[in-house]
Amino acid sequence: MTAAASAVTSPAPARHTIQLGDLRHRLLAHPIYAMVDSPERLRRFMEHHVFAVWDFQSLLVALQQKLTCTSLPWIPTPDREARRLVNEIVLDEESDELPDGTHASHFELYLDAMRQAGADTGPIETLLTLLAAGIPLDRALDEARVPAAAATFVRTSFAIIASGSAHKIVAAFTYGREDVIPEMFRPLVVALAAQDPHSWERLRFYLERHIEADDEKHGPMCRRIVASLCGDDAGRWAEASATARGSLEARLDLWDSIAAELDLGENASC
């Protein structure tokens, strides 16, 4: 049981909210969604975005460590509802059921979708191999030749994890996650899957599961955890808001970089 978990309070009064400014609107209005308009551009997008899908799982594990007991001897954590909600999210994200009855994490599902679509999985697989061998994250990001903007995005997430602050971690997880992606790219992927299911059916399934799990279940759960952790503490709400904004700003920087990469590739082919 952690100190952060013992500080969990009752849900906050309605007057407290996460303040995002115009960042979510800017994210929804970003030109990247219109730019990803072909199979090749979607493959290139996935090659950058996969790192955000991966570090999402790390944020979730950090949250699990803060709000459930993952050490021995086991001791029940004080917030029973948060414990249940986090474990339910972990089950869905880490061991979701696939159409064939097997199970996989959403990251593994995305990686399978990349392979099926013909996207390059080399850098992300190299990163995982290096990390499994005990190479520190910063060095592994460099050695795996992770795209610079994706590496910066990952480092931002791990800086939040390193803060050890449960309300900051859950704010990043809740408001900086991939919640805009499924609806933005779904029409293109549905059309591609109809034309060539062998290449795009797995990505279509990933997006549909993402919409069902994150929008309908995990989003409301996480907002309840934010309220529980911040309680009536205005300082915590301010810190959670600042962390959420920082996560969205990091996402916008990543989108800007991918958009520039797509433009560069288009000009190079002319």
Side-chain angles (χ1 to χ4, degrees), residues 47-63:
E47 290 163 4
H48 291 75
H49 175 241
V50 65
F51 296 96
V53 177
W54 171 74
D55 81 356
F56 176 84
Q57 298 286 152
S58 297
L59 282 168
L60 176 56
V61 170
L63 190 57

Side-chain angles (χ1 to χ4, degrees), residues 38-52:
S38 69
E40 178 56 32
R41 284 188 162 200
L42 184 53
R43 281 189 284 266
R44 289 164 63 193
F45 173 85
M46 295 173 77
E47 290 163 4
H48 291 75
H49 175 241
V50 65
F51 296 96

Side-chain angles (χ1 to χ4, degrees), residues 7-237:
V8 172
T9 59
S10 57
R15 68 177 179 273
H16 291 298
T17 59
I18 294 293
Q19 302 296 324
L20 300 178
D22 68 344
L23 288 167
R24 181 166 172 77
H25 170 74
R26 287 168 55 196
L27 192 62
L28 290 168
H30 199 280
I32 188 71
Y33 309 111
M35 295 177 69
V36 180
D37 57 2
S38 69
E40 178 56 32
R41 284 188 162 200
L42 184 53
R43 281 189 284 266
R44 289 164 63 193
F45 173 85
M46 295 173 77
E47 290 163 4
H48 291 75
H49 175 241
V50 65
F51 296 96
V53 177
W54 171 74
D55 81 356
F56 176 84
Q57 298 286 152
S58 297
L59 282 168
L60 176 56
V61 170
L63 190 57
Q64 185 183 32
Q65 291 175 344
K66 289 296 178 184
L67 298 180
T68 74
C69 183
T70 58
S71 60
L72 295 173
W74 180 84
I75 301 171
T77 49
D79 192 322
R80 300 176 182 182
E81 182 181 13
R83 186 196 316 155
R84 168 69 187 194
L85 295 177
V86 169
N87 282 331
E88 192 170 334
I89 294 169
V90 170
L91 179 62
D92 286 343
E93 293 288 346
E94 197 169 71
S95 303
D96 203 0
E97 185 171 359
L98 305 184
D100 62 2
T102 61
H103 298 82
S105 68
H106 285 183
F107 166 74
E108 290 166 314
L109 177 58
Y110 194 89
L111 201 57
D112 286 345
M114 289 181 68
R115 296 187 184 108
Q116 186 184 50
D120 181 12
T121 61
I124 183 64
E125 291 182 303
T126 300
L127 176 66
L128 296 179
T129 298
L130 291 169
L131 293 173
I135 303 300
L137 177 62
D138 273 342
R139 180 179 152 196
L141 288 167
D142 291 336
E143 291 189 11
R145 299 186 182 278
V146 175
T152 298
F153 184 89
V154 169
R155 289 185 173 103
T156 298
S157 296
F158 275 83
I160 295 168
I161 291 170
S163 76
S165 172
H167 60 285
K168 292 180 181 179
I169 294 169
V170 73
F173 184 86
T174 303
Y175 297 96
R177 67 190 197 280
E178 337 298 325
D179 61 342
V180 299
I181 292 171
E183 291 292 359
M184 292 295 184
F185 293 150
R186 193 181 190 190
L188 172 62
V189 175
V190 167
L192 291 173
Q195 299 167 17
D196 183 8
H198 179 72
S199 297
W200 299 101
E201 197 58 46
R202 188 52 64 99
L203 181 59
R204 178 179 182 176
F205 178 74
Y206 168 85
L207 294 176
E208 289 173 347
R209 291 300 292 152
H210 214 67
I211 291 169
E212 179 182 347
D214 285 357
D215 288 359
E216 298 177 12
K217 292 171 56 181
H218 298 171
M221 286 180 184
C222 288
R223 286 189 287 274
R224 285 162 64 189
I225 297 173
V226 170
S228 179
L229 287 172
C230 292
D232 198 23
D233 188 325
R236 285 194 174 195
W237 279 100

Side-chain angles (χ1 to χ4, degrees), residues 35 41 44 257-270:
M35 295 177 69
R41 284 188 162 200
R44 289 164 63 193
S257 176
I258 299 175
E261 177 84 9
L262 293 177
D263 265 343
L264 182 64
E266 186 78 12
N267 292 333
S269 64
C270 292

